[in-house]
Amino acid sequence: MNNKKRYPLKNLFGRILSPFENFLHSTTSGGLVLIGTTLLALLLATVMGNATFHHFWNQSFALSVENAFELKLSWHHWVNDGLMTLFFLLVGLELKREILVGELASLKDAALPVIAALGGMIVPALIYTGFNPLGTATASGWGIPMATDIAFAIGILVLLGERIPKNLIIFLTALAIADDLGAVLVIALFYTSHVNLYALGIAGALFVGLMLLNQGGIRRSLPYTVIGILLWYALLTSGIHATLAGILIAMAIPALSTYQPKQFQQRISELSDAFAEEQHEDTSHDALSNHRMASIAGAMERTAEAVQSPLQRMEHTLSPWVTFLIIPIFALSNAGIDLSAIEWEKALAQPITLGVTFGLVIGKFLGISVFSWLAIQFGVGRLPNGVNWKHLLGAAWLGGIGFTMSLFIGQLAFNDPIHIEEAKLGILLASIASALLGVAWLYIFSDKGEPNARTIH
């Protein structure tokens, strides 16, 4: 019997996926989990009521070492300031990889998504400011509609399957990563209330220490982890948002592997020959009882690990935890709104809700599409192979899905719980509208089986 028919699962799991394909698979699955978690948060907040729901997340939890040290934060802050640091670390690793070897490595290829991301930040902020002029109590929310949620947006694109060219997925991925970098800069520059210069100086020294580890050829994760935790605490104390430690740590993680491909191939070939020779001499053919065979197998494992850079290994390790645990927990703690308590006519007339909704839906579409057109007209950028304007406009609609980072900035922008709730409502409405518009546009204007000039590489 054909082995493919007898062992379909073995054949499926034996397929070798590229890092980008693995990223798409986890992002798509994570988007579905995020949708489910968001619906659960809305259900719990509606059933329990806003007061009870938020009271739970505002309960404090402390880490202490006898009488020498204590760090006490609410569960909500442990999620937003602590767990989300790992999200920012993963974003930083993805950004670094894209700049070094990915879609942002070539200036010509990077120009279009970067300029499109810039337009997708400027226009939404201007639209929000139109509803909430500078000087008003709600003006500080201008950063909320600037961000695109990569999990939702890419997940929807992937689910559209053959109706869209593969390079449209690459374009929107690069745009969302550049968008995340812009959001990080906005948080660092504009959403820091006060700065403790002493703590900031310590953070700077720790970052220099991380870079020295990199330059010194340290490839083990433990030193980076220990110094990274200290850097996180220093930034938390400094007043600059602690999650930015994730980006700084990512900058210091080595991107070069111990073995180059030719060295790896030669070493694996030597070990494979040694393993085959040992197997030939051992009549039991049992690697468990043959210590030399076990040692050779262990050397193969260490060699395979050495050909991957620390950046690749850390990204591979972090990705499932961030996608399937940290982001859903963040959504559960931040996305809850008591839908039964909303006075819809009044809520939909609030300037924050209007600014966020129109900023994300209209602002993102106009910013991405107009800035892309300008970049191509002036010869700065070019459309990816196989992608035409109807595809790019569909991606521009999906850019209005601004969930995770928008919610995050919303927590930083306002102190008034009512303002935060109004921002949440705008984010949810805009994300739903942008998703529906993007799917409808691409479904109507893209043909199934349309030929692609390039595939994912």
Side-chain angles (χ1 to χ4, degrees):
M1 185 180 290
N2 190 318
N3 283 338
K4 289 184 178 181
K5 292 182 179 179
R6 288 184 61 192
Y7 304 110
L9 290 179
K10 180 179 178 182
N11 191 46
L12 173 64
F13 289 111
R15 183 186 172 202
I16 298 174
L17 300 177
S18 71
F20 188 75
E21 287 174 319
N22 277 319
F23 170 76
L24 290 182
H25 280 282
S26 65
T27 300
T28 304
S29 303
L32 296 175
V33 172
L34 188 54
I35 291 172
T37 311
T38 302
L39 293 175
L40 177 61
L42 292 171
L43 176 64
L44 289 174
T46 301
V47 172
M48 298 167 60
N50 271 333
T52 304
F53 183 79
H54 293 304
H55 175 73
F56 168 79
W57 288 106
N58 286 327
Q59 296 296 306
S60 295
F61 174 77
L63 290 178
S64 59
V65 179
E66 295 181 354
N67 296 323
F69 170 82
E70 182 180 63
L71 178 59
K72 187 176 183 180
L73 299 171
S74 68
W75 285 114
H76 184 261
H77 281 102
W78 276 116
V79 172
N80 285 21
D81 294 355
L83 288 181
M84 286 298 285
T85 302
L86 296 177
F87 166 77
F88 277 83
L89 173 57
L90 183 61
V91 167
L93 293 172
E94 290 169 353
L95 178 65
K96 187 173 181 176
R97 172 174 48 77
E98 288 297 312
I99 290 173
L100 292 175
V101 297
E103 292 304 308
L104 300 179
S106 162
L107 287 177
K108 196 69 175 178
D109 289 332
L112 185 63
V114 169
I115 292 172
L118 185 64
M121 291 185 284
I122 293 174
V123 178
L126 291 175
I127 289 178
Y128 179 90
T129 304
F131 286 96
N132 301 268
L134 296 176
T136 62
T138 58
S140 58
W142 58 269
I144 298 172
M146 294 176 68
T148 294
D149 191 283
I150 192 169
F152 274 149
I154 302 301
I156 289 173
L157 269 186
V158 173
L159 292 175
L160 284 167
E162 295 179 1
R163 285 190 169 273
I164 58 166
K166 299 285 192 300
N167 283 326
L168 184 65
I169 300 173
I170 295 174
F171 167 78
L172 188 57
T173 301
L175 184 152
I177 290 174
D179 186 286
D180 281 343
L181 176 61
V184 168
L185 292 174
V186 166
I187 292 170
L189 296 175
F190 300 103
Y191 289 103
T192 299
S193 56
H194 66 280
V195 176
N196 182 327
L197 294 178
Y198 176 73
L200 189 61
I202 292 175
L206 290 168
F207 177 64
V208 170
L210 286 173
M211 297 303 293
L212 289 175
L213 289 178
N214 183 320
Q215 294 300 309
I218 304 299
R219 296 290 182 267
R220 296 288 181 180
S221 60
L222 182 59
Y224 294 93
T225 302
V226 172
I227 296 179
I229 292 173
L230 295 175
L231 174 61
W232 173 84
Y233 181 70
L235 285 179
L236 180 71
T237 308
S238 74
I240 294 178
H241 206 273
T243 51
L244 298 181
I247 298 293
L248 296 177
I249 295 168
M251 291 172 62
I253 299 299
L256 297 177
S257 59
T258 303
Y259 283 149
Q260 295 301 309
K262 285 185 178 180
Q263 295 173 303
F264 169 73
Q265 187 176 11
Q266 181 180 351
R267 178 63 174 156
I268 285 294
S269 179
E270 292 171 355
L271 291 171
S272 180
D273 290 343
F275 192 88
E277 182 180 346
E278 192 67 31
Q279 187 181 29
H280 179 72
E281 294 177 359
D282 186 355
T283 56
S284 68
H285 301 296
D286 184 5
L288 181 64
S289 61
N290 188 314
H291 298 300
R292 178 161 171 75
M293 288 173 68
S295 297
I296 294 171
M300 284 182 170
E301 184 178 1
R302 290 189 295 274
T303 303
E305 183 176 305
V307 79
Q308 300 178 70
S309 69
L311 186 149
Q312 289 173 305
R313 293 200 303 270
M314 184 171 288
E315 189 177 359
H316 178 74
T317 302
L318 274 178
S319 184
W321 290 100
V322 171
T323 302
F324 299 111
L325 182 66
I326 291 173
I327 294 300
I329 290 176
F330 171 81
L332 196 61
S333 65
N334 287 274
I337 301 175
D338 184 356
L339 297 176
S340 65
I342 296 176
E343 299 178 25
W344 288 97
E345 186 175 345
K346 181 179 178 181
L348 295 177
Q350 297 303 313
I352 292 178
T353 306
L354 291 172
V356 170
T357 303
F358 282 97
L360 281 170
V361 179
I362 305 301
K364 278 288 185 181
F365 175 77
L366 290 177
I368 292 172
S369 56
V370 171
F371 273 60
S372 295
W373 181 81
L374 290 172
I376 293 169
Q377 285 295 111
F378 285 99
V380 180
R382 62 189 177 197
L383 282 173
N385 290 340
V387 175
N388 57 39
W389 277 105
K390 64 186 179 184
H391 299 131
L392 191 141
L393 293 176
W397 283 120
L398 292 178
I401 303 174
F403 193 76
T404 305
M405 197 68 83
S406 292
L407 285 173
F408 190 82
I409 295 175
Q411 298 288 333
L412 302 177
F414 302 118
N415 293 319
D416 190 335
I418 295 176
H419 289 166
I420 294 174
E421 295 296 302
E422 291 169 356
K424 285 183 189 179
L425 181 60
I427 293 165
L428 290 171
L429 293 175
S431 297
I432 292 170
S434 296
L436 293 176
L437 286 167
V439 168
W441 182 283
L442 290 170
Y443 191 86
I444 292 170
F445 293 109
S446 295
D447 299 323
K448 186 176 182 181
E450 197 168 343
N452 299 319
R454 278 162 55 190
T455 56
I456 293 176
H457 57 277

